[in-house]
Amino acid sequence: MSNENELLRVSNLEVIYTSRHETVHAVNGISFSLNKGETLGLVGETGAGKTTTAYAIMRVLPDRTAKVLNGTIEFEGQNLLQLPISTMQHGIRGEKISLIFQDPMSALNPIMKVGDQIGEALKYHNKENLTPEQIDERVDKTLELVGIQRERKYDFPHQLSGGMKQRVMIAIALVCEPDLIIADEPTTALDVTIQAQVLAMIDELREKLGTAMILITHDLGIVAQMCDNVAIMYAGEIIEIGSVEDIYSGEMQHPYTTGLFGSLPDLETKTERLRPIDGLMPDPTDLPVGCKFSPRCPRCMDICRTLPPEFHTCGTHKVACHLYDDREGGNKNA
């Protein structure tokens, strides 16, 4: 049964990176969906495959080394992987789906004024036949929308603080009023105070414009504040997915998710040390045969080392873990 409110559906997506000597299995059969106006948090450690997933949706993976082996990415009923690249450039990227990059300093052009960089997106997708004066006025309004005085449009990126550069990146993403924003760790390089301001601004703008969002992060505090649904990624796989309530207080919880929560400081409990997850992410060129988390899992069983777990479902909550094999509802599809 189709969902008329569904904006994006990713099904069984597999992405690899190849070099002369090895193959990196970056994304390994992930599936999720996103409705209009919703925010999905994509959570995991560095190297989990979050950014690769975002780049696959935008189709900006490097041509020489990256390859989508399998899967579909349906946006408004169209499979983005089958569209001509010209359609992606002129009709999808920037206009319908925008990406806020992780590092604004490397994403912004250092020799272009920030106002010109915001206006460039409007000129490229100028379906309203805006005049140069109208484009300039839209740039001014967008800058003020993200909390920057319009006079700063004549500045170069190096003249702005880190927080202001990130706001310019958000302005570039918002100027064409897209249906979906992918925010790739938009506050990683910012201090805590500016983080809070930028997140509050993104959330306010998303509500005002009715935009859906995929928020890529490793901060579970941000997820609780911003997201409707959450997908936990590990070694290129989604191992747990559900609503915020499911992830934070559901009956089931993947041991990796438990470890992520254990790594957070608790203001109500006095402890000398946090409880980190032992070990490191597996080598993506040589992934474990069974559950990818089994080498680090404190509750690992023999079956975990040989057989990949199926998804177990409880309402909207799905967990891929052998701990719940005695429950009904095992299902290999997320």
Side-chain angles (χ1 to χ4, degrees):
M1 187 174 178
S2 62
N3 178 6
E4 293 182 359
N5 203 34
E6 187 175 86
L7 181 67
L8 177 73
R9 175 170 289 275
V10 176
S11 303
N12 200 30
L13 180 66
E14 293 184 44
V15 182
I16 61 170
Y17 295 99
T18 56
S19 67
R20 190 178 304 174
H21 304 293
E22 59 188 13
T23 299
V24 173
H25 299 274
V27 176
N28 305 305
I30 68 168
S31 300
F32 63 88
S33 63
L34 179 69
N35 290 335
K36 296 173 183 175
E38 284 186 348
T39 298
L40 172 71
L42 211 54
V43 181
E45 292 173 271
T46 299
K50 308 184 298 297
T51 298
T52 296
T53 300
Y55 287 2
I57 293 171
M58 296 292 289
R59 284 186 61 187
V60 291
L61 291 166
D63 291 333
R64 291 177 179 271
T65 56
K67 182 178 181 182
V68 178
L69 284 185
N70 193 20
T72 58
I73 301 171
E74 295 182 28
F75 178 78
E76 295 182 334
Q78 299 182 95
N79 185 0
L80 299 182
L81 297 177
Q82 293 180 347
L83 293 180
I85 197 66
S86 59
T87 304
M88 287 294 302
Q89 291 173 337
H90 295 281
I92 302 294
R93 293 182 199 143
E95 183 176 337
K96 295 200 171 193
I97 307 176
S98 287
L99 177 61
I100 301 173
F101 289 94
Q102 185 171 352
D103 181 9
M105 198 59 238
S106 61
L108 293 171
N109 189 330
I111 60 171
M112 278 182 71
K113 296 173 183 176
V114 295
D116 293 338
Q117 297 189 53
I118 299 169
E120 189 177 42
L122 272 175
K123 292 173 186 175
Y124 197 76
H125 300 286
N126 192 6
K127 292 190 175 180
E128 301 175 44
N129 295 317
L130 299 174
T131 64
E133 292 76 19
Q134 289 173 319
I135 289 175
D136 201 43
E137 182 62 26
R138 181 82 72 86
V139 170
D140 291 345
K141 288 181 179 179
T142 306
L143 277 172
E144 291 180 347
L145 196 65
V146 298
I148 298 178
Q149 295 176 333
R150 59 175 63 193
E151 294 79 16
R152 302 302 298 268
K153 68 183 178 183
Y154 301 110
D155 288 350
F156 291 94
H158 73 271
Q159 295 175 280
L160 304 178
S161 67
M164 292 183 75
K165 283 195 279 279
Q166 192 61 276
R167 288 169 187 261
V168 170
M169 288 298 305
I170 295 167
I172 293 171
L174 290 174
V175 71
C176 292
E177 298 185 359
D179 298 312
L180 171 62
I181 292 174
I182 303 174
D184 186 6
E185 303 201 22
T187 60
T188 297
L190 307 178
D191 63 66
V192 176
T193 306
I194 304 300
Q195 272 190 26
Q197 293 175 6
V198 169
L199 288 172
M201 183 192 64
I202 291 174
D203 200 35
E204 181 183 342
L205 295 174
R206 187 187 66 81
E207 290 286 340
K208 187 182 294 184
L209 300 174
T211 305
M213 182 166 68
I214 296 175
L215 178 62
I216 296 173
T217 183
H218 52 257
D219 190 329
L220 287 166
I222 291 174
V223 168
Q225 176 187 343
M226 300 278 292
C227 299
D228 302 301
N229 299 301
V230 187
I232 307 292
M233 285 193 72
Y234 184 80
E237 297 180 355
I238 290 177
I239 57 174
E240 184 170 357
I241 189 168
S243 67
V244 169
E245 291 78 11
D246 291 333
I247 302 300
Y248 283 74
S249 57
E251 293 181 14
M252 302 184 293
Q253 193 171 74
H254 195 283
Y256 178 63
T257 309
T258 304
L260 291 178
F261 280 112
S263 302
L264 293 174
D266 186 348
L267 297 180
E268 297 178 359
T269 306
K270 185 177 181 179
T271 55
E272 292 186 4
R273 290 179 60 87
L274 297 176
R275 299 187 305 276
I277 303 171
D278 293 333
L280 300 171
M281 289 270 286
D283 182 353
T285 65
D286 185 23
L287 293 170
V289 175
C291 173
K292 306 298 184 290
F293 186 58
S294 59
R296 304 173 69 186
C297 182
R299 305 180 68 181
C300 179
M301 302 175 288
D302 289 341
I303 190 174
C304 303
R305 298 185 179 91
T306 56
L307 186 66
E310 298 181 354
F311 273 96
H312 298 273
T313 305
C314 180
T316 57
H317 193 189
K318 298 175 182 178
V319 179
C321 183
H322 287 297
L323 288 173
Y324 306 105
D325 282 352
D326 56 346
R327 288 176 177 244
E328 295 183 1
N331 181 3
K332 286 194 175 181
N333 298 313

